[in-house]
Amino acid sequence: MPAYEVVVDVMLKPEILDPAGQAVVNALPTLGLAPVSDLRIGKHVEITVEAADEDAALAEGTRMAQVLLANPVIEDFRVRLG
Amino acid sequence: MRVTARIGVVSFPGSLDDRDAQRAVRLAGGRPVALWHADADLHGVDAVVLPGGFSYGDYLRAGALARFSPVMGTVIEQAGRGLPVLGICNGFQVLCEAGLLPGALTRNAHLHFVNRDQRLRVESTASAWTAGFAEGQAVVVPVKNGEGNYVAATAVLDELEGEGRVVARYLGSNPNGSARDIAGIRNAAGNVVGIMPHPEHAVEELTGPGTDGLVFFTSVLSTLVAA
């Protein structure tokens, strides 16, 4: 079976506080960089998976995100081909 | 009936407080049994403690990988049949990841790792691990975490409060930003409890702020004798 690169991006849900992102927001102006009104930090996961076709590869990535890569209580995820 | 209840304490790679939890069980009058993450066999223990630490390095999310270890498969199954399970700190995170308790524990709102003696109010004595307290009792138990900020949907928080499933709340300043000052919760049946502070570090005067933590362990021993 061919190999596909699948990308899963995991972000904290909008209503969940992202203290690490807030710390970076506060740090940027002190470094002389433009003030930003918002910044959120998430996880970017690159997966190489063997699958029958692109749809099957995306379905595998979605399953991985649902079971392990994201916690649905606090996180949303998006799956795409790399 | 066994003379001495056997309390299993799971060691995951990265567990820190497994020996302390074993010692707390011993001081409470129970017999500690070391359980290994890769062994699905609970060796006939009467209750299980998931200790604090950084299981699997907290990789991905705290507790996310420990939840899939062989021992947890059996713990999840047995917890459904009433086995008393106490998750402390990282153990609480594992219980949430495993779906045995609702919600999740995220980074402390202020990003600092907190390590201090913490006052708590015991809110629910209707659990295997808190039956020995008086309801509303104020206790002092050390807290030490970087990801102890309890979050859950508003409906879940309302349900926990409505059903009296908040086991303990922070008194004084909230150390991590937890929703509604929640320090610990229980499942509906009361056999599964997760708590962020460390009762196993408050089991004797010499090494802790007092002995309030011991009551978690004597509670489960009394519960087991009564069962």
Side-chain angles (χ1 to χ4, degrees):
Chain A
M1 282 198 288
Y4 294 91
E5 189 184 318
V6 175
V7 176
V8 179
D9 288 311
V10 182
M11 295 297 297
L12 285 171
K13 290 184 178 198
E15 66 269 27
I16 302 292
L17 182 71
D18 175 17
Q22 283 304 306
V24 173
V25 166
N26 296 336
L28 288 173
T30 68
L31 299 171
L33 297 161
V36 298
S37 56
D38 194 25
L39 180 155
R40 311 238 340 140
I41 298 175
K43 296 191 187 92
H44 172 88
V45 186
E46 297 178 348
I47 307 159
T48 304
V49 59
E50 288 184 14
D53 54 30
E54 289 188 347
D55 284 347
L58 284 170
E60 269 308 302
T62 302
R63 264 202 297 281
M64 291 176 194
Q66 287 168 337
V67 173
L68 180 61
L69 300 180
N71 178 347
V73 176
I74 50 170
E75 293 168 326
D76 294 323
F77 65 86
R78 270 188 308 204
V79 184
R80 59 187 162 89
L81 292 171
Chain B
M1 191 187 76
R2 283 199 193 91
V3 177
T4 309
R6 300 167 73 243
I7 313 291
V9 179
V10 176
S11 293
F12 298 101
S15 290
L16 296 179
D17 302 320
D18 39 353
R19 294 301 182 98
D20 296 61
Q22 290 176 19
R23 191 160 157 276
V25 167
R26 199 175 303 119
L27 287 171
R31 197 174 131 210
V33 177
L35 299 176
W36 184 236
H37 70 110
D39 184 359
D41 190 344
L42 298 186
H43 300 278
V45 296
D46 303 299
V48 168
V49 176
L50 306 179
F54 300 88
S55 58
Y56 297 87
D58 271 358
Y59 292 158
L60 194 61
R61 294 179 306 276
L65 300 180
R67 171 254 179 282
F68 291 101
S69 61
V71 75
M72 281 307 298
T74 316
V75 167
I76 292 167
E77 181 197 321
Q78 294 293 315
R81 294 183 196 162
L83 179 78
V85 179
L86 175 66
I88 303 167
C89 194
N90 188 224
F92 187 8
Q93 295 162 338
V94 174
L95 290 175
C96 286
E97 284 282 343
L100 287 174
L101 292 173
L105 293 139
T106 61
R107 279 193 186 179
N108 292 353
H110 45 63
L111 277 177
H112 298 289
F113 191 99
V114 178
N115 183 6
R116 70 182 191 212
D117 295 337
Q118 175 70 44
R119 290 175 65 234
L120 306 172
R121 186 174 59 237
V122 178
E123 299 267 316
S124 169
T125 57
S127 90
W129 302 90
T130 55
F133 289 104
E135 206 152 304
Q137 187 177 341
V139 299
V140 177
V141 174
V143 68
K144 49 165 194 171
N145 66 69
E147 298 190 35
N149 183 354
Y150 182 75
V151 298
T154 304
V156 173
L157 294 170
D158 289 343
E159 187 184 333
L160 286 172
E161 301 210 82
E163 295 177 358
R165 288 168 55 191
V166 174
V167 161
R169 248 184 260 266
Y170 298 114
L171 279 179
S173 75
N174 181 329
N176 44 38
S178 276
R180 304 189 191 179
D181 298 329
I182 289 173
I185 57 173
R186 65 171 174 86
N187 67 350
N191 61 310
V192 178
V193 169
I195 188 156
M196 211 10 88
H198 290 260
E200 81 282 16
H201 293 331
V203 293
E204 62 180 358
E205 298 288 349
L206 180 66
T207 57
T211 57
D212 290 340
L214 201 56
V215 180
F216 285 84
F217 301 94
T218 54
S219 290
V220 77
L221 294 175
S222 305
T223 304
L224 289 167
V225 169

